[in-house]
Amino acid sequence: MAKRIKKIAVMTSGGDSPGMNAAIRSVVRACAYYRTECVGVYRGYQGMIEGDFTLMTARSVNNIIHKGGTILKSARSKEFMTVDGRKKAHENLLEHNIDALVVIGGDGSFTGGVVFNKEYNFPVIGIPGTIDNDIHGTSHTLGYDTALNTAMDAIDKIRDTASSHDRLFFVEVMGRDAGFIALNAGVGAGAEEILIPEEDLGLDRMLESLKKSKRSGKSSSIVVVAEGDKSGKNVYELANYVEENLPEYEVRVSVLGHMQRGGSPTCFDRVLASRLGVKAVELLIDGNSNLMVGLKNNEVIATDLEKAIKGIQNIDMELLRVSDIMTT
Amino acid sequence: MAKRIKKIAVMTSGGDSPGMNAAIRSVVRACAYYRTECVGVYRGYQGMIEGDFTLMTARSVNNIIHKGGTILKSARSKEFMTVDGRKKAHENLLEHNIDALVVIGGDGSFTGGVVFNKEYNFPVIGIPGTIDNDIHGTSHTLGYDTALNTAMDAIDKIRDTASSHDRLFFVEVMGRDAGFIALNAGVGAGAEEILIPEEDLGLDRMLESLKKSKRSGKSSSIVVVAEGDKSGKNVYELANYVEENLPEYEVRVSVLGHMQRGGSPTCFDRVLASRLGVKAVELLIDGNSNLMVGLKNNEVIATDLEKAIKGIQNIDMELLRVSDIMTT
Amino acid sequence: MAKRIKKIAVMTSGGDSPGMNAAIRSVVRACAYYRTECVGVYRGYQGMIEGDFTLMTARSVNNIIHKGGTILKSARSKEFMTVDGRKKAHENLLEHNIDALVVIGGDGSFTGGVVFNKEYNFPVIGIPGTIDNDIHGTSHTLGYDTALNTAMDAIDKIRDTASSHDRLFFVEVMGRDAGFIALNAGVGAGAEEILIPEEDLGLDRMLESLKKSKRSGKSSSIVVVAEGDKSGKNVYELANYVEENLPEYEVRVSVLGHMQRGGSPTCFDRVLASRLGVKAVELLIDGNSNLMVGLKNNEVIATDLEKAIKGIQNIDMELLRVSDIMTT
Amino acid sequence: MAKRIKKIAVMTSGGDSPGMNAAIRSVVRACAYYRTECVGVYRGYQGMIEGDFTLMTARSVNNIIHKGGTILKSARSKEFMTVDGRKKAHENLLEHNIDALVVIGGDGSFTGGVVFNKEYNFPVIGIPGTIDNDIHGTSHTLGYDTALNTAMDAIDKIRDTASSHDRLFFVEVMGRDAGFIALNAGVGAGAEEILIPEEDLGLDRMLESLKKSKRSGKSSSIVVVAEGDKSGKNVYELANYVEENLPEYEVRVSVLGHMQRGGSPTCFDRVLASRLGVKAVELLIDGNSNLMVGLKNNEVIATDLEKAIKGIQNIDMELLRVSDIMTT
């Protein structure tokens, strides 16, 4: 039978995303509710190795639900990839009588959790926190909804200028190897073209479509490009390519960049964080491990942590079709 | 066999909600894509009775996806509740060779559509547009996600003042007879108490909880109250009641009001509107009628329009529990 | 000769306003720059009486410039209006070797400072922090620019609904006895009518103007009403009055309320707070007292604190005229 | 004596900026108020050459005060730099009985106006519309306040990530050859360093300051760089230079780009636009020409158009000092 869980550690790891603080708050409050102690680990696995811990009570997380970033800070730890690093981390956990770990992060962070769990049979639950939405086992990762709105609002602003000057803008959005942000923010912002890694339609098709758009009376256009786009050209090269082939267009480029990772989380991300944090704690208290909590069909579910890492989160092909119809 | 659909009318009806313009745009563009004519009807059923129509092309809906309100305007029509009114409306549709109707609105608007369909066997598809999220057959109505964020952002601002002055605020949010906005915006804003029509826990419990909150070191508190709350007291009476019973609290009231109906739609609402509009047109072209398009498990589905009106959209009891845990 | 200032206390007092934290930060950092100690006083004069002090270094104010509310909290103190209360406050200041005081607040708070200064010859500098902009000696008070934008954004949202339904909205904004917020947010939001305490044109004129507006083809209208309006009717009574006299209008009311006091300060308010805080500290170090720092013609100036209280901040009559022309 | 002005043309020219629509609205409504006809010219001087005119009434400008961009579109016209181009433009104005011109734009646009006025003695008034605030004769140009807030909000978001990861961010903001946006948005966002063209302190000083900041306990930093910075390195080279010399910092770059030109104008910009538009029309009606309207000491004034072009708008040295003190 599983050991009774009396003290849980929580950390954020990998790239930060809006909603991480709301998730920390939820884990801490759920621990308080279930009369379980809670310890915050600073700077992810690196802080675990260095024993950078802080005791957290329900009051420690007052007034953080609306904050971007993570009060526990985040980092990438090379040392945790070594046997020695993980050994130190484990010793620190034991020394502080910590019985289980909640990791808020992306697939890299979960991989660390899986290895650690295998080596030390230490209970680990993952909460998917990344703006990229590229995690299997959840329809939404924490921060994704916020990043969509941040990117879309920026493109709305760029459209003001694009329309005023009859220009064509190439706007690069984040998303690593996934096109979720590009596709959804692109549809939301009414982009004329959306280039995503999941579907490489070739540059000729884009030229054809832009030509058609011009003929149909549209004088300005927005092309949203996912950073992981597979066209073989980066966003600047794409812009040059179009300018050379379609001299009727005046082309500009904007790379939205790191602002997409920050900002106050949307209501969706805050509510999701609150739900996932409670579930993570309850799963640990009930003796579970090696799971990731996530959302499927608006319900909180648990997925095997290894499956979450290896699985693929498929993009919605129906939405690609809707996007095509919208640019009629 | 169903008559081929060559011309579709689209209207907005009942209370406006963010995303209605995005849905109009989607219906119009989907019509253009399928080479079907599209006509906009101004001011809902009233405009249909008065023949207030406008031809719409893909270009008519340029640059409206991000706008709150509805470019087709909305109204409530008493005349359409009469046999004569509907007769006039039907004659106008025939005169303009309109074969089918897309109604964007809430349950009152759908009721009109059902009656009209029965009387004239006229194809009608509904798109759920209301901030209240009180429609059966869809997990999200158009405008609901935007209203959540508008309400939450306002409560975030109120919290600044509540914390600075150690005050207790009662904040009334919209939602008619449903507690969706109150529950989700309340959890998102970290409210200490949330009063919704679906769960009347009694005023004693609230007093007890506020007392406990004070003892636990929280000096300020937010109570979110749904406008349809069943406590038997309105928000001002609630505030007085608490002030009388808990003199340690300095109480204030804020009624967020109509601003919750407006504003630029969130990415979620714009994408949802784009998806639902296309589906509505495709259903009509495929010979369907008397359906409402909606979202279930992140997929676009169709529900019998009468079921959508009569069914009940249940609130998420798990989230009520999460809310309790968060206020530990 | 004035005593050398080695330790300065800073407090926020009266109603909170956005930018107060930025001003605290500026006072603290300016003290650090000039190697002067700095002490924060919690809850204004009440905290001074209770000795609720905290030592502040440049690092204590990291990451607060963007926050609404005040980390030092605010309160109204009846006890400070008594001789005994002020005596206790003075003793606490002496005990902590505090040489001077910066008060961030409105005229009520400055009155306290003037009395205290007279009784104990204690150096006091005021920083005008209120959303109402009703302080003589500065063109802008801290929080005013933010409140303008908050009110205007809310009215923008209400306009979406007003236009969609051809309605007339009465929107009450804050401002106590001054019409600054109403006039500027009203012009910014394109309101058809603006009712302010400084200019009572009578209700007949408003009716006339609304009639004209309807005739000219405007189907929706916004009337912005300052809370201190002198028409003799509150906003609900005004709405009823118009509905009775102009039945062609469907009237609604919205009271924006306390959200106008919160939220992240605008760039203007943050920069102003930074400038005023530095000046306050420099004035004290240079041996001054009984002054308020403020902005005139984009330059930071000092005004006699008593004049700031007694003087009247006049509203811009040119803008009233512009407002009339805009509603042609 | 000057000819009576019966018809006024208005255009936007050069880079667009938030508030241009509010200024167009103001010019159009002021014309209506003074019973003067008003004509909108599309795409600036180019549209004047091509005769691309539209009659505007008070109703043409309903519901545009809050919109970014310009409904009259903007363009740069090479043809207007030629004698022939200006001749065509003049002929078009005469043909449409246009008596005077309001140009909303920056110094390039005003130069065109000055030349045109000299050649044809045609009444021209300029309204300063640019986010860069680099026009002599006004403390604020239209769009500047909005751009400040857009840039600052983006930096606020970036700070979330910077703090979470203990990183150093170089953020490039717009402003052409002027540092107004960088200095004010930098102070507003609490940037640790601000590099502007007006003050080149050398790279060594920046390194020294960043070292000191690290020692003082700050783990993350933001350096705001004006696009016209004179350090001799672009923002990417600066980042590399720092990374090489201060390996303790993990450095990232973000170029905010074109989103700074768009978005809904702030209350300040909308009110300013309303005031300047009225004044421009009144000056023309009163027989004036060759002036730019602007804001000085919160009052609307007129400056000789040539002086506006040639003069220099000086940056506020006091604010530079405040910025230094804030980064103590």
Side-chain angles (χ1 to χ4, degrees):
Chain A
M1 208 201 97
K3 188 187 157 193
R4 216 194 114 219
I5 303 292
K6 283 179 286 188
K7 200 187 249 183
I8 291 175
V10 58
M11 64 158 71
T12 48
S13 169
D16 66 321
S17 73
M20 282 187 160
N21 280 325
I24 294 169
R25 173 181 180 267
S26 176
V27 168
V28 171
R29 295 256 166 106
C31 284
Y33 181 85
Y34 288 112
R35 306 194 184 286
T36 304
E37 280 190 283
C38 188
V39 165
V41 181
Y42 286 107
R43 291 172 300 118
Y45 293 116
Q46 190 58 34
M48 210 158 98
I49 292 169
E50 299 174 13
D52 198 357
F53 298 162
T54 182
L55 209 65
M56 300 186 90
T57 71
R59 294 292 71 78
S60 322
V61 291
N62 278 357
N63 245 339
I64 67 165
I65 193 172
H66 60 293
K67 285 187 192 163
T70 157
I71 59 166
L72 289 177
K73 303 213 170 198
S74 187
R76 288 185 172 84
S77 170
K78 281 187 188 162
E79 205 178 341
F80 195 75
M81 293 179 189
T82 68
V83 173
D84 263 17
R86 291 192 295 272
K87 186 156 173 287
K88 274 193 235 168
H90 186 241
E91 285 165 3
N92 282 329
L93 293 177
L94 292 190
E95 197 183 315
H96 288 79
N97 299 313
I98 293 167
D99 303 313
L101 176 66
V102 177
V103 180
I104 307 167
D107 52 8
S109 310
F110 293 165
T111 304
V114 166
V115 172
F116 191 68
N117 173 272
K118 279 197 183 150
E119 281 178 1
Y120 294 102
N121 192 27
F122 198 88
V124 175
I125 300 283
I127 296 180
T130 161
I131 63 167
D132 303 326
N133 207 36
D134 56 352
I135 307 272
H136 183 77
T138 188
S139 60
H140 293 76
T141 55
L142 286 184
Y144 168 55
D145 186 63
T146 305
L148 282 185
N149 283 287
T150 302
M152 186 188 75
D153 289 348
I155 305 174
D156 277 358
K157 288 188 169 70
I158 290 171
R159 169 143 347 246
D160 285 341
T161 286
S163 321
S164 299
H165 288 275
D166 292 348
R167 278 177 186 157
L168 169 61
F169 266 89
F170 281 81
V171 182
E172 187 190 284
V173 300
M174 282 189 162
R176 291 203 312 176
D177 293 329
F180 290 98
I181 296 179
L183 179 56
N184 283 272
V187 168
E192 278 70 23
E193 287 288 313
I194 302 171
L195 307 184
I196 56 173
E198 289 86 350
E199 193 199 49
D200 180 12
L201 295 172
L203 298 176
D204 289 350
R205 192 190 141 284
M206 182 181 64
L207 290 186
E208 208 44 60
S209 165
L210 288 171
K211 262 188 223 165
K212 203 188 99 192
S213 175
K214 196 83 176 182
R215 280 197 306 267
S216 82
K218 280 219 163 182
S219 54
S220 65
S221 295
I222 304 277
V223 179
V224 172
V225 185
E227 63 178 341
D229 172 51
K230 297 282 192 297
S231 68
K233 295 185 191 292
N234 70 30
V235 67
Y236 295 100
E237 292 164 351
L238 277 170
N240 286 338
Y241 180 78
V242 168
E243 207 155 30
E244 279 163 21
N245 286 279
L246 300 176
E248 64 266 38
Y249 273 109
E250 196 186 335
V251 186
R252 291 288 184 280
V253 171
S254 187
V255 176
L256 297 188
H258 277 85
M259 59 172 285
Q260 294 167 87
R261 295 206 172 280
S264 184
T266 58
C267 192
F268 182 92
D269 276 328
R270 298 189 200 178
V271 171
L272 179 60
S274 303
R275 295 170 76 183
L276 297 186
V278 168
K279 185 70 172 183
V281 170
E282 292 179 341
L283 284 172
L284 285 173
I285 288 176
D286 289 348
N288 299 287
S289 176
N290 230 22
L291 297 172
M292 183 193 81
V293 290
L295 196 71
K296 277 278 159 171
N297 304 339
N298 296 321
E299 299 202 352
V300 176
I301 57 151
T303 308
D304 191 278
L305 200 50
E306 286 180 72
K307 280 192 192 149
I309 301 163
K310 289 182 192 152
I312 285 165
Q313 165 82 327
N314 288 315
I315 210 152
D316 188 349
M317 285 298 152
E318 175 234 341
L319 188 52
L320 268 175
R321 208 172 58 82
V322 167
S323 165
D324 274 352
I325 295 175
M326 287 307 100
T327 54
T328 292
Chain B
M1 206 201 99
K3 189 188 155 193
R4 217 194 111 218
I5 302 292
K6 283 179 286 189
K7 200 188 249 183
I8 291 174
V10 59
M11 64 159 71
T12 49
S13 169
D16 65 320
S17 73
M20 281 188 161
N21 280 325
I24 294 168
R25 173 181 180 268
S26 176
V27 169
V28 171
R29 296 255 167 108
C31 285
Y33 182 85
Y34 289 112
R35 307 195 182 284
T36 304
E37 279 189 283
C38 189
V39 165
V41 181
Y42 286 106
R43 293 172 299 119
Y45 293 116
Q46 192 56 35
M48 211 158 97
I49 292 169
E50 299 174 13
D52 199 359
F53 298 163
T54 181
L55 209 65
M56 301 187 89
T57 70
R59 293 291 73 77
S60 321
V61 290
N62 277 358
N63 246 338
I64 67 165
I65 193 172
H66 61 293
K67 286 188 191 162
T70 156
I71 59 165
L72 290 177
K73 305 213 169 199
S74 187
R76 287 185 172 83
S77 171
K78 283 186 187 162
E79 204 177 342
F80 195 74
M81 294 180 189
T82 67
V83 173
D84 264 18
R86 292 191 294 273
K87 188 159 170 285
K88 273 193 235 166
H90 186 240
E91 286 165 2
N92 282 329
L93 293 177
L94 293 189
E95 198 183 314
H96 287 80
N97 301 312
I98 293 167
D99 303 313
L101 176 66
V102 177
V103 180
I104 307 169
D107 52 9
S109 310
F110 293 165
T111 304
V114 166
V115 172
F116 191 69
N117 173 272
K118 278 196 184 152
E119 281 178 0
Y120 295 102
N121 192 26
F122 198 88
V124 175
I125 299 283
I127 296 180
T130 161
I131 62 166
D132 304 326
N133 208 36
D134 57 351
I135 308 272
H136 183 77
T138 187
S139 59
H140 293 76
T141 54
L142 285 184
Y144 168 57
D145 186 63
T146 305
L148 282 186
N149 282 288
T150 302
M152 186 188 74
D153 288 347
I155 306 173
D156 278 356
K157 288 188 169 69
I158 290 171
R159 174 152 328 258
D160 285 341
T161 285
S163 323
S164 299
H165 288 273
D166 293 348
R167 279 178 186 156
L168 170 62
F169 266 88
F170 282 80
V171 182
E172 187 190 284
V173 300
M174 282 188 162
R176 291 204 310 177
D177 295 328
F180 291 98
I181 295 179
L183 180 56
N184 283 272
V187 169
E192 278 70 22
E193 286 288 315
I194 302 170
L195 306 183
I196 57 173
E198 289 85 349
E199 193 199 47
D200 180 12
L201 296 173
L203 297 176
D204 289 350
R205 193 190 140 283
M206 182 181 64
L207 291 185
E208 210 44 60
S209 165
L210 288 172
K211 264 188 222 164
K212 204 188 97 191
S213 175
K214 195 83 176 182
R215 280 198 306 269
S216 85
K218 279 219 163 181
S219 54
S220 65
S221 294
I222 304 276
V223 179
V224 172
V225 185
E227 62 178 342
D229 172 50
K230 296 281 191 299
S231 67
K233 296 185 189 292
N234 71 30
V235 68
Y236 295 100
E237 293 164 349
L238 277 170
N240 286 339
Y241 180 77
V242 169
E243 207 154 29
E244 279 162 22
N245 286 279
L246 300 177
E248 64 266 38
Y249 273 108
E250 197 188 336
V251 186
R252 292 287 184 281
V253 171
S254 187
V255 176
L256 297 187
H258 277 85
M259 59 173 284
Q260 295 167 87
R261 294 207 173 280
S264 184
T266 57
C267 192
F268 182 92
D269 276 328
R270 299 189 198 179
V271 170
L272 179 60
S274 303
R275 294 170 74 183
L276 296 185
V278 167
K279 185 70 172 183
V281 170
E282 292 179 343
L283 284 172
L284 285 173
I285 288 175
D286 290 349
N288 299 285
S289 177
N290 231 20
L291 298 172
M292 185 195 79
V293 290
L295 196 71
K296 277 277 158 173
N297 304 338
N298 296 321
E299 298 204 350
V300 176
I301 56 151
T303 308
D304 191 278
L305 199 51
E306 286 181 70
K307 280 192 193 151
I309 300 163
K310 290 181 193 155
I312 285 166
Q313 164 82 327
N314 288 314
I315 210 152
D316 187 351
M317 286 298 151
E318 174 233 341
L319 187 53
L320 269 175
R321 209 173 58 82
V322 167
S323 166
D324 275 351
I325 295 175
M326 287 308 100
T327 54
T328 292
Chain C
M1 206 201 99
K3 188 188 156 194
R4 214 193 116 220
I5 303 293
K6 283 179 289 190
K7 200 189 249 182
I8 291 175
V10 59
M11 65 159 70
T12 49
S13 169
D16 65 321
S17 72
M20 281 187 160
N21 280 325
I24 294 168
R25 173 181 180 267
S26 175
V27 169
V28 172
R29 295 255 167 107
C31 284
Y33 182 84
Y34 289 112
R35 305 194 183 287
T36 304
E37 279 190 284
C38 189
V39 165
V41 181
Y42 286 107
R43 291 171 300 121
Y45 293 117
Q46 191 56 34
M48 212 159 98
I49 292 169
E50 299 174 13
D52 198 359
F53 297 163
T54 182
L55 209 66
M56 300 187 90
T57 70
R59 293 291 72 77
S60 321
V61 290
N62 277 358
N63 245 338
I64 67 164
I65 193 172
H66 61 292
K67 284 187 191 162
T70 155
I71 59 166
L72 290 177
K73 303 212 171 200
S74 187
R76 287 182 172 85
S77 170
K78 283 186 187 163
E79 205 178 341
F80 195 74
M81 294 179 189
T82 69
V83 173
D84 264 19
R86 292 192 294 274
K87 187 157 173 285
K88 273 193 236 166
H90 187 240
E91 286 165 4
N92 282 329
L93 293 177
L94 292 189
E95 198 183 313
H96 288 79
N97 299 312
I98 294 168
D99 304 312
L101 177 65
V102 177
V103 180
I104 307 168
D107 51 9
S109 310
F110 293 165
T111 304
V114 166
V115 172
F116 191 69
N117 174 271
K118 280 196 182 151
E119 281 178 1
Y120 295 102
N121 193 25
F122 199 88
V124 175
I125 299 282
I127 296 180
T130 160
I131 63 166
D132 303 326
N133 208 36
D134 57 351
I135 308 271
H136 183 78
T138 187
S139 59
H140 292 76
T141 54
L142 286 184
Y144 168 57
D145 186 63
T146 305
L148 282 186
N149 283 289
T150 302
M152 186 188 75
D153 289 347
I155 305 174
D156 278 357
K157 287 187 170 69
I158 291 170
R159 172 145 340 250
D160 285 340
T161 285
S163 322
S164 299
H165 289 273
D166 292 348
R167 279 178 186 155
L168 169 62
F169 266 89
F170 281 81
V171 183
E172 187 191 284
V173 301
M174 283 187 162
R176 292 203 309 176
D177 295 327
F180 291 98
I181 296 179
L183 180 56
N184 283 271
V187 169
E192 278 70 22
E193 286 288 314
I194 302 171
L195 306 183
I196 57 173
E198 289 85 351
E199 194 199 47
D200 180 12
L201 295 172
L203 298 176
D204 289 350
R205 193 190 140 284
M206 182 181 63
L207 290 185
E208 210 43 61
S209 165
L210 288 171
K211 264 188 223 165
K212 203 187 98 191
S213 175
K214 195 83 177 182
R215 280 197 306 268
S216 84
K218 279 219 164 181
S219 54
S220 66
S221 294
I222 304 277
V223 179
V224 172
V225 185
E227 61 178 342
D229 172 50
K230 296 283 192 297
S231 67
K233 296 185 189 292
N234 70 31
V235 69
Y236 295 100
E237 293 164 349
L238 277 170
N240 286 338
Y241 180 78
V242 168
E243 206 155 29
E244 279 162 23
N245 286 279
L246 300 176
E248 63 266 38
Y249 273 109
E250 197 188 335
V251 185
R252 292 287 184 280
V253 171
S254 187
V255 176
L256 296 188
H258 278 85
M259 59 173 284
Q260 294 167 87
R261 293 207 173 280
S264 184
T266 57
C267 192
F268 182 92
D269 276 327
R270 299 190 199 178
V271 170
L272 179 60
S274 304
R275 294 170 74 183
L276 296 186
V278 167
K279 185 70 173 183
V281 169
E282 292 179 342
L283 284 172
L284 285 172
I285 288 175
D286 289 350
N288 300 287
S289 176
N290 230 21
L291 297 172
M292 184 194 79
V293 290
L295 196 70
K296 276 277 158 173
N297 304 339
N298 296 322
E299 298 204 351
V300 175
I301 58 152
T303 308
D304 191 277
L305 200 51
E306 286 180 71
K307 280 192 193 151
I309 300 163
K310 289 181 192 152
I312 284 165
Q313 165 82 328
N314 289 315
I315 210 150
D316 187 349
M317 286 298 151
E318 174 233 341
L319 188 52
L320 268 175
R321 208 172 59 82
V322 167
S323 166
D324 274 352
I325 296 175
M326 286 307 101
T327 54
T328 292
Chain D
M1 206 202 99
K3 188 188 158 196
R4 215 195 114 219
I5 302 292
K6 284 179 287 188
K7 201 188 246 182
I8 291 175
V10 58
M11 63 158 71
T12 48
S13 169
D16 65 322
S17 73
M20 282 188 160
N21 280 325
I24 294 169
R25 173 181 180 268
S26 176
V27 168
V28 171
R29 295 255 166 108
C31 284
Y33 182 85
Y34 289 111
R35 306 195 184 283
T36 304
E37 280 189 282
C38 189
V39 165
V41 181
Y42 286 107
R43 290 172 301 119
Y45 293 116
Q46 191 58 33
M48 211 159 98
I49 292 170
E50 298 174 14
D52 198 358
F53 298 163
T54 181
L55 210 64
M56 300 186 90
T57 71
R59 293 292 72 79
S60 321
V61 291
N62 278 358
N63 246 337
I64 68 164
I65 192 173
H66 61 292
K67 286 187 191 163
T70 156
I71 59 165
L72 289 177
K73 303 211 170 200
S74 188
R76 288 185 172 83
S77 171
K78 283 187 189 161
E79 205 177 341
F80 195 75
M81 295 180 189
T82 67
V83 172
D84 264 19
R86 292 191 295 273
K87 187 157 172 287
K88 274 193 235 168
H90 186 241
E91 286 165 3
N92 282 328
L93 293 177
L94 292 189
E95 197 183 314
H96 287 79
N97 300 312
I98 294 167
D99 303 313
L101 176 67
V102 177
V103 180
I104 307 167
D107 53 8
S109 310
F110 293 166
T111 304
V114 166
V115 172
F116 191 69
N117 173 272
K118 280 197 181 149
E119 281 178 0
Y120 295 103
N121 192 27
F122 199 89
V124 175
I125 299 283
I127 295 180
T130 160
I131 63 167
D132 304 326
N133 207 36
D134 57 352
I135 307 272
H136 183 76
T138 188
S139 59
H140 293 76
T141 54
L142 286 183
Y144 168 57
D145 186 63
T146 305
L148 282 186
N149 283 288
T150 302
M152 186 188 74
D153 289 347
I155 304 174
D156 278 357
K157 288 188 169 69
I158 291 171
R159 166 131 5 235
D160 285 340
T161 285
S163 322
S164 300
H165 288 275
D166 293 347
R167 279 177 185 157
L168 170 61
F169 267 89
F170 281 81
V171 183
E172 187 190 284
V173 301
M174 282 188 162
R176 290 204 312 177
D177 294 329
F180 290 98
I181 295 179
L183 179 57
N184 283 272
V187 169
E192 279 70 23
E193 287 287 314
I194 302 171
L195 307 184
I196 56 173
E198 289 85 349
E199 194 199 49
D200 180 12
L201 296 172
L203 297 177
D204 289 350
R205 192 190 141 285
M206 181 181 64
L207 290 185
E208 209 44 60
S209 165
L210 287 172
K211 264 189 222 165
K212 203 187 98 192
S213 175
K214 195 82 176 182
R215 280 197 306 267
S216 84
K218 279 220 164 182
S219 54
S220 66
S221 295
I222 304 276
V223 179
V224 172
V225 185
E227 62 178 342
D229 172 51
K230 296 282 191 297
S231 67
K233 296 185 190 291
N234 72 31
V235 68
Y236 295 100
E237 291 164 350
L238 277 170
N240 286 337
Y241 180 78
V242 169
E243 207 155 30
E244 279 164 20
N245 286 279
L246 299 176
E248 64 267 38
Y249 273 109
E250 196 187 335
V251 186
R252 292 285 184 282
V253 171
S254 187
V255 176
L256 296 187
H258 278 84
M259 59 173 285
Q260 294 167 88
R261 293 207 173 279
S264 185
T266 58
C267 192
F268 182 93
D269 276 328
R270 298 189 199 179
V271 171
L272 179 60
S274 303
R275 296 170 75 183
L276 297 186
V278 168
K279 185 70 172 183
V281 169
E282 292 179 341
L283 284 173
L284 285 173
I285 288 175
D286 290 349
N288 298 287
S289 176
N290 231 20
L291 298 171
M292 184 193 80
V293 290
L295 196 71
K296 278 275 159 173
N297 305 337
N298 295 321
E299 299 204 350
V300 176
I301 57 151
T303 308
D304 192 278
L305 200 50
E306 286 180 70
K307 279 192 193 150
I309 299 163
K310 288 181 193 153
I312 285 167
Q313 164 82 325
N314 288 316
I315 209 151
D316 188 350
M317 285 299 151
E318 174 234 341
L319 188 52
L320 268 176
R321 208 173 58 82
V322 167
S323 165
D324 274 352
I325 296 175
M326 287 307 100
T327 54
T328 293

